Amino acid sequence: DAGVTQSPTHLIKTRGQQVTLRCSPISGHKSVSWYQQVLGQGPQFIFQYYEKEERGRGNFPDRFSARQFPNYSSELNVNALLLGDSALYLCASSSSSNQPQHFGDGTRLSIL
Amino acid sequence: AQSVTQPDIHITVSEGASLELRCNYSYGATPYLFWYVQSPGQGLQLLLKYFSGDTLVQGIKGFEAEFKRSQSSFNLRKPSVHWSDAAEYFCAVAHSSGTYKYIFGTGTRLKVLA
């Protein structure tokens, strides 16, 4: 079975631009979570969606938004990009809150 | 506040030597506990998890971890390290009521000497 897939793998943007990152969960998983991993740090929780509804939000500004589609795939949008948004963005899926999350390989976002 | 501490930023061991990576957590209740491994440019791979029951849990690649409630610790161990174990290791906690929000430590980078 395919794991969590994310696209694109790498992305370069400039300050002020907008970006959309995509995630396809493991087949049968209805939950998708997004994390930001800045170089040298552990992942930080951004959002969690379950059955197309937002179930959790981390301490990130409103420039960050997400949604989940009927097929359980998800998009993370970031507006008005700042240099500090440069990071690895990880998507994780799970079949339920009592099962561990499985992570994709991430999207490396670089802001110039 | 909920937090996870991994006191060792870097650890270097020789191939074949034993390994212990430390993880301490601060949490209001008994948490779910996880260890993940991350190779350069890759995502996180789950090594093992503790939800309840036996406090010594076995994972993949020969790793094990022991939950010690009295010490708020969940240390990762391996009796004999292989060169391919070189990577970054993250400890994470989640609320035992069931949540998708994981809190991660800052990671321990493992270097293995041939």
Side-chain angles (χ1 to χ4, degrees), chain A residues 11-17 80-87 109-112:
Chain A
L11 205 51
I12 299 175
K13 293 286 188 178
T14 58
R15 283 176 294 175
Q17 286 188 311
L81 288 166
L82 303 174
L83 292 178
D85 295 331
S86 295
L109 176 63
S110 299
I111 311 300
L112 303 180

Side-chain angles (χ1 to χ4, degrees), chain B residues 3 7 12-14 21 27 31 33 35 51 61 74 76 81-82 87-88 92 96 100-102 112 114:
Chain B
S3 65
T12 300
V13 299
S14 298
L21 303 183
Y27 216 80
L33 295 158
W35 275 98
F51 283 176
K61 302 185 179 185
F74 189 56
L76 182 71
V81 171
H82 188 264
E88 187 143 27
S96 58
Y100 301 94
K101 178 182 179 180
Y102 288 11
V112 180

Side-chain angles (χ1 to χ4, degrees), chain A residues 31 33 35 37 40-45 48 50 88 90 94-106, chain B residues 32 34 36 38 41-46 49 51 88 90 95-107:
Chain A
S31 167
S33 297
Y35 291 80
Q37 185 180 19
Q41 299 293 318
Q44 297 288 319
F45 174 77
Q48 187 258 324
Y50 182 79
L88 180 68
L90 294 164
S94 175
S95 57
S96 75
S97 61
N98 293 319
Q99 292 298 322
Q101 294 183 29
H102 298 270
F103 286 79
D105 285 341
Chain B
Y32 289 165
F34 310 87
Y36 284 86
Q38 185 177 39
Q42 302 287 311
L44 303 175
Q45 181 183 22
L46 179 69
K49 64 184 185 294
F51 283 176
E88 187 143 27
F90 292 94
H95 199 282
S96 58
S97 67
T99 178
Y100 301 94
K101 178 182 179 180
Y102 288 11
I103 298 172
F104 285 85
T106 53

Side-chain angles (χ1 to χ4, degrees), chain A residues 5-56:
Chain A
T5 58
Q6 294 187 242
S7 63
T9 54
H10 295 86
L11 205 51
I12 299 175
K13 293 286 188 178
T14 58
R15 283 176 294 175
Q17 286 188 311
Q18 175 266 341
V19 68
T20 298
L21 311 180
R22 296 175 176 82
C23 172
S24 292
I26 292 171
S27 178
H29 286 191
K30 298 181 178 180
S31 167
V32 170
S33 297
W34 288 94
Y35 291 80
Q36 180 195 64
Q37 185 180 19
V38 173
L39 196 63
Q41 299 293 318
Q44 297 288 319
F45 174 77
I46 308 175
F47 281 113
Q48 187 258 324
Y49 277 76
Y50 182 79
E51 289 280 17
K52 301 184 290 296
E53 290 188 4
E54 182 182 306
R55 296 294 184 91

Side-chain angles (χ1 to χ4, degrees), chain B residues 38-113:
Chain B
Q38 185 177 39
S39 298
Q42 302 287 311
L44 303 175
Q45 181 183 22
L46 179 69
L47 286 176
L48 46 78
K49 64 184 185 294
Y50 173 78
F51 283 176
S52 65
D54 192 346
T55 57
L56 183 64
V57 293
Q58 303 297 319
I60 62 172
K61 302 185 179 185
F63 286 93
E64 67 177 26
E66 186 172 11
F67 170 54
K68 293 185 177 180
R69 185 191 308 272
S70 61
Q71 299 177 21
S72 297
S73 69
F74 189 56
N75 293 349
L76 182 71
R77 300 194 293 252
K78 187 170 185 177
S80 178
V81 171
H82 188 264
W83 64 266
S84 61
D85 292 325
E88 187 143 27
Y89 292 79
F90 292 94
C91 179
V93 301
H95 199 282
S96 58
S97 67
T99 178
Y100 301 94
K101 178 182 179 180
Y102 288 11
I103 298 172
F104 285 85
T106 53
T108 297
R109 182 165 298 278
L110 174 65
K111 181 177 180 179
V112 180
L113 301 177

